[in-house]
Amino acid sequence: RTPDREELLQFSDTLFSTNAWLVGRRDKTPDLGSVEELAGHTVCMARGMKVSPAFDQGANRDFGITHGADDRMRVRMLLGHRCDVAVVAHRSRRPEAVMQRLQVLGLPTAELRVLSSTPLVSMPVGLAVAKDSPLAPLMARINEGIRRKTPDIRALIERDLG
């Protein structure tokens, strides 16, 4: 959600949150758990990803950015030494669940590690529709349904599946 997007889109209430995790190479990357600690490093992240105001301000000023389309590509770029750290999104707040996800993606988890015990940031996830969309007038009803079902939605999405 950015000011530019606010002008064009109508947003729903938050359905659940996802977390931005920092992943590095097991043999090289030091522990990093804050935006300030990224200074001097190159970060692989999704184009257009908004992590936090502090992260966005530090990008290309305090640390370099290179873009990869998805978690698998960003981690492969990390393993290929095109960046020092990859930002990986995962719904869980547990580092071991992030590693399980990377394993499911077929990545060599023996060469990787999550760089802190907590996510860099938690980001709300919701729905967005163009303000001139036929769905826009329904957003109040959608939000009512989200509020009624929030505990069930979060339990379903945030549940660890393995």
Side-chain angles (χ1 to χ4, degrees), residues 36-84:
E36 295 78 20
E37 293 171 327
L38 292 173
H41 293 280
T42 300
V43 179
C44 288
M45 64 181 288
R47 187 176 307 283
M49 181 182 220
K50 298 293 182 192
V51 176
S52 71
F55 185 95
D56 297 341
Q57 289 172 356
N60 295 317
R61 183 188 71 194
D62 302 329
F63 51 89
I65 296 291
T66 189
H67 296 106
D70 57 28
D71 289 340
R72 181 180 299 164
M73 179 183 282
R74 289 190 295 277
V75 172
R76 286 186 177 165
M77 292 168 69
L78 170 71
L79 291 168
H81 301 272
R82 292 184 54 203
C83 60
D84 305 310

Side-chain angles (χ1 to χ4, degrees), residues 93-144:
R93 295 191 57 81
R94 295 179 30 243
E96 55 274 13
V98 176
M99 293 302 289
Q100 287 173 341
R101 168 81 172 122
L102 297 177
Q103 186 172 27
V104 166
L105 291 174
L107 296 163
T109 54
E111 298 176 38
L112 302 167
R113 68 187 186 94
V114 176
L115 301 178
S116 68
S117 60
T118 58
L120 179 66
V121 67
S122 184
M123 302 172 289
V125 175
L127 305 173
V129 298
K131 287 185 175 180
D132 61 355
S133 163
L135 294 175
L138 300 175
M139 194 57 79
R141 286 181 53 204
I142 291 168
N143 282 334
E144 182 182 314

Side-chain angles (χ1 to χ4, degrees), residues 2 7-8 10 12 22-23 31 35 41 45 59 74-75 78 81 91 117 130 136 147 150 154 157 162:
T2 66
E7 287 182 29
L8 301 172
Q10 186 173 351
S12 74
L22 298 177
V23 174
D31 289 344
V35 171
H41 293 280
M45 64 181 288
R74 289 190 295 277
V75 172
L78 170 71
H81 301 272
R91 71 190 183 287
S117 60
R147 283 189 290 275
T150 293
R154 290 188 180 160
I157 292 173

